[in-house]
Amino acid sequence: SHLGSSSSGFTAARRAAPPRLLPRAILRVPARMTCMGFFAPGLVTGSICWLALALVATFVQNMLFVKETPKITLAESRQLGLIVVWLSMTCMWLFWAFVYMHQLVPLIYPVHTPVLE
């Protein structure tokens, strides 16, 4: 049940060009994009920066915010601080990574109108 006539495995529907509403020069759509996935250089660099920030926040939390009270021991205070720091840093890193990855493959390309003189 092969729909296409060529032996390359592509169907006639896949080879058909999409309808063009605007010329290709205006859209500036790249012909072929290479997917680097999770190892995109900006994503790796940003993730390393988030890790460094988490380590600094852990150090600050241990030095300034660990204290013993009548209801919590020193060890429990340190544990609670570590949970708060690492959970919040993980959530912020995930949010940043999602936004960054959405910009890697845009769904809508800008259409620039010529400047009238």
Side-chain angles (χ1 to χ4, degrees), residues 37-38 40 42-44 46-47 50 89-105:
F38 292 114
L43 193 61
V44 171
S47 296
W50 277 102
M89 293 305 280
T90 302
C91 289
M92 289 186 285
W93 169 76
L94 279 172
F95 185 76
W96 171 82
F98 294 155
V99 170
Y100 187 87
M101 286 188 286
H102 269 285
Q103 294 175 10
L104 286 177
V105 184

Side-chain angles (χ1 to χ4, degrees), residues 59-79:
F59 176 76
V60 169
Q61 179 267 330
N62 275 326
M63 294 295 115
L64 301 177
F65 296 104
V66 174
K67 64 187 229 178
E68 191 168 3
T69 65
K71 294 189 176 190
I72 188 169
T73 65
L74 203 61
E76 291 171 337
S77 177
R78 180 172 284 116
Q79 225 174 15

Side-chain angles (χ1 to χ4, degrees), residues 6-115:
S6 71
S7 62
S8 66
F10 291 105
T11 62
R14 288 185 86 183
R15 281 187 281 134
R20 282 194 181 153
L21 300 177
L22 296 170
R24 191 169 190 78
I26 292 175
L27 291 178
R28 296 183 195 272
V29 179
R32 186 171 188 137
M33 296 179 69
T34 304
C35 179
M36 291 178 273
F38 292 114
F39 297 108
L43 193 61
V44 171
T45 303
S47 296
I48 291 170
C49 290
W50 277 102
L51 178 63
L53 186 61
L55 293 173
V56 168
T58 300
F59 176 76
V60 169
Q61 179 267 330
N62 275 326
M63 294 295 115
L64 301 177
F65 296 104
V66 174
K67 64 187 229 178
E68 191 168 3
T69 65
K71 294 189 176 190
I72 188 169
T73 65
L74 203 61
E76 291 171 337
S77 177
R78 180 172 284 116
Q79 225 174 15
L80 179 63
L82 286 175
I83 289 170
V84 168
V85 165
W86 282 94
L87 187 62
S88 61
M89 293 305 280
T90 302
C91 289
M92 289 186 285
W93 169 76
L94 279 172
F95 185 76
W96 171 82
F98 294 155
V99 170
Y100 187 87
M101 286 188 286
H102 269 285
Q103 294 175 10
L104 286 177
V105 184
L107 298 177
I108 301 172
Y109 291 92
V111 176
H112 300 284
T113 56
V115 179

